[in-house]
Amino acid sequence: MSLADVAPIGFVRGGRADPVDDAWDSVAAEIVLDPAQLGPDAALGLDSFSHIVVVFVFDRLDPAKVERNARHPRGRTDWPRVGILAQRGSPRPNRIGVTTCRLLGVEGLTLRVQGLDAINGTPVLDIKPHMTGFDPRGAVREPDWAREIMEGYW
């Protein structure tokens, strides 16, 4: 497999039209999977999980805004300047997003979700069931600014 083999398996339909930073938890949308990429039973059994992990592309992010070094998250100078790899912002070098969201239902190749922070039309690269066995092992550590940035996100 090469990078040329990576292609969207579906797209987000509905939800928000614009990438607003906060209050994603109430946003409902669908992920419509592409029958040219997946068989009709590709999501069989997925509905027995409450949450899924969605890997997607920030496809409408202006390439000129991609960060390859460090910045203040959301431009807030009261938070420390940290490398792009130490934050979850969208202007990443490969513009890939990963979010765990609620799975509300599965109808064939259409997944109904809530709390997915991707906008209408966003290409979806992969979907995985959330399994607690893949959650972090041991104590989790994060800086104060990271907790603060998430206060209104969901």
Side-chain angles (χ1 to χ4, degrees):
M1 180 173 153
S2 73
L3 288 178
D5 297 323
V6 176
I9 62 167
F11 293 86
V12 175
R13 180 171 63 194
R16 287 187 180 164
D18 297 308
V20 179
D21 276 334
D22 290 317
W24 286 98
D25 207 36
S26 64
V27 176
E30 294 180 334
I31 298 171
V32 180
L33 300 172
D34 182 356
Q37 295 287 336
L38 298 165
D41 291 334
L44 186 65
L46 193 61
D47 60 351
S48 59
F49 292 88
S50 64
H51 290 75
I52 57 174
V53 178
V54 181
V55 181
F56 57 93
V57 179
F58 295 110
D59 65 314
R60 278 162 263 168
L61 180 74
D62 179 352
K65 295 187 182 207
V66 167
E67 179 62 65
R68 298 180 186 279
N69 196 17
R71 69 177 190 153
H72 292 280
R74 292 194 183 178
R76 286 189 46 179
T77 57
D78 58 321
W79 289 337
R81 185 173 171 271
V82 294
I84 192 63
L85 301 181
Q87 51 189 286
R88 302 265 313 224
S90 60
R92 322 185 63 68
N94 284 319
R95 297 180 287 174
I96 294 175
V98 179
T99 298
T100 301
C101 63
R102 282 183 296 291
L103 179 62
L104 302 176
V106 177
E107 296 171 23
L109 294 179
T110 299
L111 313 179
R112 289 182 298 109
V113 298
Q114 188 167 349
L116 175 61
D117 55 346
I119 59 177
N120 184 47
T122 296
V124 174
L125 298 178
D126 201 3
I127 293 169
K128 300 173 186 280
H130 173 76
M131 297 180 181
T132 58
F134 284 99
D135 285 348
R137 291 156 308 285
V140 174
R141 178 180 75 245
E142 65 184 1
D144 291 341
W145 71 264
R147 278 189 294 282
E148 290 173 24
I149 203 170
M150 296 307 295
E151 285 176 2
Y153 196 79
W154 300 115

